Amino acid sequence: RMGVPAEAIEVVHNGADLARFRPGLRASEGARVRAEAGLADDERVLLFLGSGWARKGLDRTLEAFALLAPDRPSWRLLVVGYEPRLEAWRASAVALGLASRVRFLGGRRDAEACYAAADLYVLPTRYDPFANSTVEALASGLPVVTTATNGGSELVREGVHGAVVPGDADAHRLRAALFEWTRPGRASAAREACRALAEQNGAERMTERSARILEELAS
């Protein structure tokens, strides 16, 4: 778009704090959040986390989860984030028949614990230059189902670290991706690959890459 040759461009993605976001929290912090949400040990968790829920695609998350719910009775949806229209979103979940399947946890400062409580992360955002939650979820060992309009989707290898659907995907298309990744054992089998990918995109490494580029320019 700007007429700059591709070979002159180096992309440095956002990096995750690998010490803060890690799979090892599942038995401690993750268990705490699950207990707060009233989740049983045999219930699986789909996590939606962020602010600006309309842009992030909570509407189609709820619609897709309503389509998925009959086939995945053990799955629950946790919704986390600061949102002024919280009660309207609660009403939407109730209208879709999801009153007992969705937990709204509100705004929290322990995102790492929320990832640790989950099995799969969903973010069907309509636009995000690079949603930090993408790599945070991966660092926590969670596969990610997101949209091509999230710059963070560049990290996700289809079928290995999650799924990438079109930015304008409807609830049925999103449901198909979620159906695949909520199959028994599917998400947990990808945990190590997700963490390994995040370790290649840790905050420290991304900072070092940025510093190297600036040093090269300065010289």
Side-chain angles (χ1 to χ4, degrees):
R1 182 175 295 175
M2 298 299 174
V4 179
E7 60 270 18
I9 298 172
E10 182 170 352
V11 176
V12 181
H13 291 120
N14 295 0
D17 182 337
L18 298 176
R20 180 184 177 190
F21 301 101
R22 63 187 193 277
L25 296 177
R26 292 180 67 85
S28 54
E29 294 300 293
R32 174 178 59 81
V33 172
R34 289 177 63 92
E36 289 177 15
L39 295 167
D41 291 343
D42 61 346
E43 291 179 320
R44 305 275 65 81
V45 172
L46 176 64
L47 175 68
F48 175 100
L49 183 150
S51 57
W53 291 351
R55 176 172 59 85
K56 299 281 187 179
L58 180 57
D59 55 336
R60 48 188 172 185
T61 299
L62 291 171
E63 292 167 9
F65 191 63
L67 295 171
L68 179 72
D71 297 306
R72 298 289 187 259
S74 66
W75 280 78
R76 302 292 180 264
L77 173 64
L78 292 189
V79 180
V80 180
Y82 294 94
E83 170 60 45
R85 297 179 55 248
L86 177 57
E87 292 310 313
W89 287 106
R90 286 186 193 273
S92 295
V94 171
L96 289 165
L98 297 173
S100 65
R101 302 287 297 270
V102 180
R103 311 283 199 278
F104 289 89
L105 303 187
R108 302 175 65 106
R109 297 187 178 277
D110 59 349
E112 67 280 5
C114 297
Y115 292 118
D119 300 279
L120 180 66
Y121 183 60
V122 60
L123 189 73
T125 178
R126 291 176 168 86
Y127 174 70
D128 260 295
F130 188 110
N132 288 339
S133 61
T134 310
V135 69
E136 290 170 357
L138 291 168
S140 303
L142 302 186
V144 175
V145 176
T146 190
T147 46
T149 42
N150 169 16
S153 67
E154 293 182 358
L155 295 181
V156 178
R157 182 178 169 189
E158 185 78 29
V160 178
H161 312 109
V164 179
V165 301
D168 59 355
D170 62 12
H172 291 276
R173 178 66 183 82
L174 180 59
R175 183 262 181 199
L178 293 176
F179 183 80
E180 166 62 21
W181 280 94
T182 54
R183 287 194 294 107
R186 184 72 172 91
S188 59
R191 191 171 297 157
E192 290 185 9
C194 291
R195 175 64 186 187
L197 175 62
E199 289 176 351
Q200 297 172 23
N201 292 271
E204 185 174 348
R205 177 175 290 189
M206 296 301 100
T207 300
E208 291 173 351
R209 286 185 58 191
S210 297
R212 174 180 55 77
I213 293 170
L214 293 174
E215 288 167 357
E216 289 176 357
L217 291 170
S219 65

